Amino acid sequence: VLFLDLDDFKKVNDSLGHEVGDKLLIEASKRLSYAIRKEDTVGRLGGDEFIVILHHIIDEANAMDIVTHLLHIFTEPFHIDNRELILTLSIGIAICPENGKNASDLLRNADTAMYQAKANGRNTYSFFTDEMNVIMLRRFEIEEQMHLALERNEFTLYFQPKIDLKNRKVMGAEALLRWVNPKLGVLEPDEFIPIAEQTGLIVPIGEFAINKALEVLNKWQLRYATTFTMAINLSPRQFRHKSFLDTLKHNISTLELDPKLIEFEITEGVLMMGKSYIDEALNELREIGVKLSMDDFGTGYSSLSYLRHYAFDVIKIDQTFVKGLPHNKADCDLVKATIAMANSLGLSVVAEGIETLQQLTALEKFSCDFAQGFYFSEPLSEYDLLAFDKF
């Protein structure tokens, strides 16, 4: 059983309308019908999901030949209303009897495998494995618990201090989201943030994080009568919602904060989406006066072109490059070149993941501006941040 899902089909409906979407579904159906063998069956399950039943499959290699062919025929563009549209497939594969002996088990497991294909980058296929069941059950548990997590006050913020390397004093912090659930325990952001993104729950969760981070920034400055910066991570979904900018402006006004003390960290993945609403949001953030930081610099593909296109203030060197300092010559050369380039562009540089004195000494030698990491401090609770005495 093949479970097929058309990748990003919702974007077609949203941007070109449901009439174009319906025509595209019809053409996709025809293409699938022409591609399968006479003894096989294809049907539309609903929405943009299709099922293909393959008969007389001897082994995985036999199924893979057919699946590869299906992926290939979708590389040709669809011609709809004088438009050329590219549509790709994500395919999950379940084989009887290994992956189920009845229709419901086979469908469920093929569906699970399809989600794995999506996670693998889309426009690909995945065979069902028992491990996937464990992964999907975990995902469903996280999603179920996440829906009420905000109401139950399960989310909190921790703060990673940032150090000015010129005077070794704290100049700010990065706000980090943490989640402790009574049923699931402590969940790492790498596990729950992608699920929050996919479900859209990142929007209210992100709003909570921004509100809390700015409240702490205000308390922090009032206690020490000095200026600190607060770095906050932004997700792609937050850019779509007008409430994000409205809430930010409201908080800045209510707390009487200087916008220059707020720094939003944006990954290259957000910029690679190339959406107009992202450009509009970034422009409006610039108008508000907050700072923009490119997070995980050097780990993507086109960082330099984005630095030219967007008015960033800060570059964050990813910890994967810092880890090799000072012994790995390639890492040393890359970090040194990045800092020199940033300085020539008038950008500040933050190195993350500092764990040793040797790494810190190398960064100071390269004239890095700021640093953060366990060498200075682990992420701190709000109480510990406000009591942090390394000023």
Side-chain angles (χ1 to χ4, degrees):
V1 175
L2 309 183
F3 198 111
L4 289 72
D5 185 89
L6 305 181
D7 296 326
D8 294 323
F9 179 76
K10 185 176 183 298
K11 292 179 182 178
V12 175
N13 276 340
D14 291 346
S15 59
L16 301 178
H18 288 274
E19 185 178 348
V20 172
D22 289 346
K23 291 179 181 178
L24 190 57
L25 283 174
I26 292 169
E27 293 305 312
S29 301
K30 289 178 181 177
R31 195 170 289 191
L32 288 172
S33 299
Y34 295 151
I36 63 171
R37 304 169 303 176
K38 288 183 179 179
E39 66 265 32
D40 298 330
T41 305
V42 62
R44 178 166 169 248
L45 188 64
D48 60 349
E49 296 176 334
F50 294 84
I51 298 295
V52 176
I53 302 171
L54 303 178
H55 297 275
H56 311 302
I57 295 297
I58 300 169
D59 54 27
E60 287 190 0
N62 192 203
M64 195 166 68
D65 290 340
I66 298 171
V67 168
T68 303
H69 177 59
L70 290 175
L71 291 172
H72 176 71
I73 65 169
F74 272 72
T75 59
E76 288 293 322
F78 289 86
H79 298 275
I80 309 290
D81 293 350
N82 297 318
R83 292 185 178 91
E84 279 196 356
L85 302 175
I86 300 294
L87 202 62
T88 59
L89 297 172
S90 290
I91 305 176
I93 309 164
I95 298 178
C96 179
E98 295 93 327
N99 307 140
K101 296 182 179 179
N102 58 60
S104 59
D105 286 348
L106 286 166
L107 278 174
R108 183 182 67 251
N109 292 339
D111 187 20
T112 298
M114 183 274 293
Y115 274 104
Q116 184 61 47
K118 293 275 190 188
N120 290 344
R122 307 186 180 197
N123 191 25
T124 189
Y125 63 86
S126 180
F127 284 91
F128 175 79
T129 64
D130 290 336
E131 184 184 3
M132 288 180 190
N133 253 345
V134 176
I135 293 170
M136 290 304 295
L137 286 173
R138 172 72 173 176
R139 176 196 161 85
F140 292 146
E141 283 185 321
I142 291 173
E143 188 175 329
E144 180 185 16
Q145 293 297 315
M146 192 183 294
H147 278 282
L148 293 175
L150 269 178
E151 294 178 24
R152 296 190 295 239
N153 296 314
E154 294 174 6
F155 289 107
T156 187
L157 288 187
Y158 273 65
F159 303 88
Q160 179 92 60
K162 286 185 182 179
I163 309 300
D164 187 333
L165 295 185
K166 297 181 183 66
N167 54 29
R168 296 286 187 95
K169 291 185 176 180
V170 176
M171 49 70 65
E174 178 184 356
L176 303 169
L177 190 63
R178 295 289 184 265
W179 181 19
V180 181
N181 177 265
K183 182 178 179 181
L184 302 176
V186 179
L187 291 99
E188 294 296 323
D190 288 349
E191 184 176 27
F192 72 81
I193 291 293
I195 297 173
E197 280 275 0
Q198 293 161 11
T199 59
L201 292 170
I202 193 65
V203 174
I205 293 171
E207 189 169 299
F208 157 80
I210 292 173
N211 294 347
K212 186 64 178 176
L214 297 188
E215 287 176 13
V216 172
L217 174 62
N218 187 45
K219 293 178 185 177
W220 201 14
Q221 296 188 152
L222 290 174
R223 172 167 292 193
Y224 293 101
T226 187
T227 57
F228 298 104
T229 64
M230 182 64 73
I232 306 167
N233 293 279
L234 278 185
S235 78
R237 284 246 185 184
Q238 287 173 278
F239 283 94
R240 295 190 194 183
H241 288 260
K242 184 68 176 175
S243 62
F244 156 59
L245 291 167
D246 292 338
T247 302
L248 175 63
K249 291 175 186 176
H250 174 76
N251 284 337
I252 290 173
S253 175
T254 303
L255 298 171
E256 297 182 348
L257 291 169
D258 182 349
K260 291 186 177 64
L261 303 178
I262 303 167
E263 181 182 308
F264 284 110
E265 297 190 357
I266 301 159
T267 64
E268 191 176 334
V270 174
L271 305 177
M272 287 177 68
M273 294 172 68
K275 300 299 182 183
S276 59
Y277 60 77
I278 291 177
D279 285 359
E280 291 167 8
L282 288 174
N283 289 333
E284 193 158 352
L285 285 173
R286 296 299 309 180
E287 291 174 8
I288 292 171
V290 302
K291 290 183 177 180
L292 298 179
S293 171
M294 180 179 280
D295 199 9
D296 302 334
F297 184 81
T299 59
Y301 298 98
S302 309
S303 300
L304 293 177
S305 65
Y306 293 131
L307 289 179
R308 182 179 64 181
H309 186 71
Y310 299 100
F312 282 95
D313 303 281
V314 181
I315 286 176
K316 289 197 75 175
I317 299 177
D318 189 71
Q319 61 184 346
T320 55
F321 299 106
V322 172
K323 184 178 287 188
L325 301 181
H327 307 295
N328 186 302
K329 184 179 183 301
D331 285 342
C332 285
D333 291 343
L334 282 168
V335 171
K336 186 177 180 180
T338 299
I339 293 170
M341 177 201 65
N343 289 339
S344 69
L345 294 173
L347 306 175
S348 299
V349 180
V350 178
E352 57 184 357
I354 314 303
E355 296 181 350
T356 68
L357 177 60
Q358 290 83 359
Q359 292 170 344
L360 176 60
T361 302
L363 289 166
E364 288 179 319
K365 180 182 176 182
F366 299 152
S367 301
C368 185
D369 300 301
F370 310 109
Q372 64 184 78
F374 283 11
Y375 178 78
F376 303 107
S377 171
E378 294 184 1
L380 304 171
S381 66
E382 174 186 347
Y383 174 82
D384 290 332
L385 178 71
L386 296 177
F388 198 56
D389 60 0
K390 295 183 181 180
F391 297 100

